[in-house]
Amino acid sequence: MFLSVTEDLVRRRAEHNNCEIFSLEEISLHQQEIEKLEYLDKWCRDLKILYLQNNLIPKLENVGKLKKLEYLNVALNNIEKIENLEGCEELKKLDLTANFIGELSSIETLKYNIHLKELFLVGNPCTEFEGYRQFVVATLHQLKCLDSKEIERSERIQALQNYPEVKQKIREQEQAYLLKRAREKEEAQRRMQERKEKKQNQMESEHGFNRTAGNCYLRKCRGSRESKNHQAEGDGEQEMWRTVEDDEEDRRFWEELTPYTPESRLETHRYIEEKRRAKDNIRYIFVLIYSMN
């Protein structure tokens, strides 16, 4: 299940505009665990500034109709390619810091954003390519500043002179990177399947025990009016058992060596959310048990 942009979320973040979303010119949706970009180009067509940093967005989409958009910040997401921004006719500043962009050639789509002056790509894999800066400077003639460093006229002239050679090097490095990413995706898929099967087996093996223990504990609570201290002691034993088990699972998860990829970032987020929900469920069960007495 993808966490996407909802109308309720947009309205809550539009308090400065009396919760009116259709006339919004600026909105901050950072750190909202968003995994899919939707609806903003239909609900907020007057947007000029859009903050989406520190989410889990894997793809730039559904913002192409924001013709008045001047500044887009999607730093710290899971984006691997620059795309679908041609329709942002007024775009002046684009921040893609700390994503996973390895297809450097995808910056060529930004040629159509003739007002683009500032671009931030620092922290992306493509910045490690030999000739990275020269390629960007030569490709995007309208750009004035790259990664917080002003582009001098002499730098652009030299970049244009070396462009054919640099472009070839970039293509070769890009292909090598994409092969590496294909292997990483396969490994992530395998690891996810293994974890899923292991969890399923664990749930099946524990089902009988949990059901018996749970029924006994519930009968104890229903049929006894003994002291709260004795009941709290039983709760503590249950919580202790779960804590030891959870600690072991946590240790295995956090000590496993995995590359930093969009898949591992998403996996970590979902693991933390799963643990949080499990803890909430346990708390709810104990509240129910207490309420029976």
Side-chain angles (χ1 to χ4, degrees), residues 2-201:
F2 290 104
L3 294 175
S4 60
V5 178
T6 64
E7 184 175 348
D8 178 62
L9 171 62
V10 175
R11 287 193 184 280
R12 281 190 282 112
R13 304 297 293 181
E15 291 180 353
H16 61 285
N17 200 50
N18 296 320
C19 296
E20 171 60 55
I21 65 175
F22 296 105
S23 61
L24 264 181
E25 292 189 356
E26 177 178 339
I27 191 169
S28 178
L29 298 172
H30 66 286
Q31 292 183 304
Q32 296 297 316
E33 301 175 355
I34 297 168
E35 296 180 39
K36 188 173 178 63
L37 272 180
E38 292 182 299
Y39 309 122
L40 287 175
D41 57 345
K42 296 178 181 177
W43 296 337
C44 314
R45 294 202 172 187
D46 288 337
L47 274 180
K48 293 183 178 181
I49 300 175
L50 176 56
Y51 296 102
L52 287 162
Q53 65 269 36
N54 204 2
N55 282 291
L56 297 159
I57 299 165
K59 183 178 181 179
L60 287 169
E61 57 185 339
N62 299 315
V63 291
K65 293 179 181 178
L66 299 175
K67 296 186 179 298
K68 298 180 181 180
L69 190 65
E70 297 179 4
Y71 176 31
L72 174 61
N73 189 329
V74 281
L76 285 163
N77 276 281
N78 290 352
I79 297 165
E80 298 193 63
K81 181 180 180 180
I82 301 172
E83 58 188 335
N84 301 322
L85 296 176
E86 295 89 341
C88 300
E89 298 174 357
E90 297 298 321
L91 190 63
K92 295 179 174 67
K93 184 177 180 180
L94 175 61
D95 194 340
L96 286 155
T97 299
N99 274 274
F100 294 89
I101 296 170
E103 291 189 54
L104 184 56
S105 59
S106 65
I107 66 161
E108 293 177 349
T109 62
L110 297 175
K111 288 179 178 179
Y112 302 99
N113 303 97
I114 58 174
H115 298 292
L116 184 65
K117 304 302 178 187
E118 294 183 75
L119 176 63
F120 299 86
L121 288 169
V122 64
N124 283 274
C126 64
T127 62
E128 301 297 320
F129 293 175
E130 182 184 352
Y132 150 73
R133 186 175 173 89
Q134 278 188 302
F135 180 75
V136 176
V137 170
T139 301
L140 302 177
H141 300 174
Q142 76 275 37
L143 214 58
K144 301 295 184 185
C145 185
L146 175 61
D147 297 333
S148 300
K149 184 180 178 182
E150 187 177 347
I151 300 171
E152 301 289 345
R153 184 171 178 272
S154 58
E155 181 184 9
R156 174 158 282 122
I157 291 172
Q158 186 174 3
L160 288 169
Q161 290 174 344
N162 299 331
Y163 184 67
E165 180 184 346
V166 170
K167 184 177 181 179
Q168 180 60 33
K169 284 184 180 179
I170 292 296
R171 296 288 187 186
E172 292 170 0
Q173 293 172 90
E174 186 176 272
Q175 288 304 310
Y177 174 80
L178 292 177
L179 288 173
K180 175 189 170 189
R181 278 294 295 133
R183 291 193 296 269
E184 288 175 346
K185 288 177 183 178
E186 288 178 5
E187 177 61 23
Q189 187 66 33
R190 182 193 62 77
R191 194 169 59 250
M192 189 182 302
Q193 186 61 32
E194 284 183 357
R195 187 168 284 122
K196 183 179 178 181
E197 291 173 358
K198 188 174 182 180
K199 193 166 189 66
Q200 183 66 31
N201 293 336

Side-chain angles (χ1 to χ4, degrees), residues 227-260:
S227 69
K228 292 290 184 180
N229 289 338
H230 181 68
Q231 185 183 26
E233 190 177 309
D235 292 349
E237 289 172 0
Q238 289 279 336
E239 191 169 342
M240 176 72 73
W241 177 77
R242 291 198 63 87
T243 300
V244 170
E245 180 190 61
D246 289 350
D247 284 348
E248 178 60 24
E249 186 179 2
D250 282 346
R251 185 189 64 78
R252 288 196 302 267
F253 181 84
W254 295 113
E255 288 184 359
E256 182 181 10
L257 294 176
T258 56
Y260 182 62

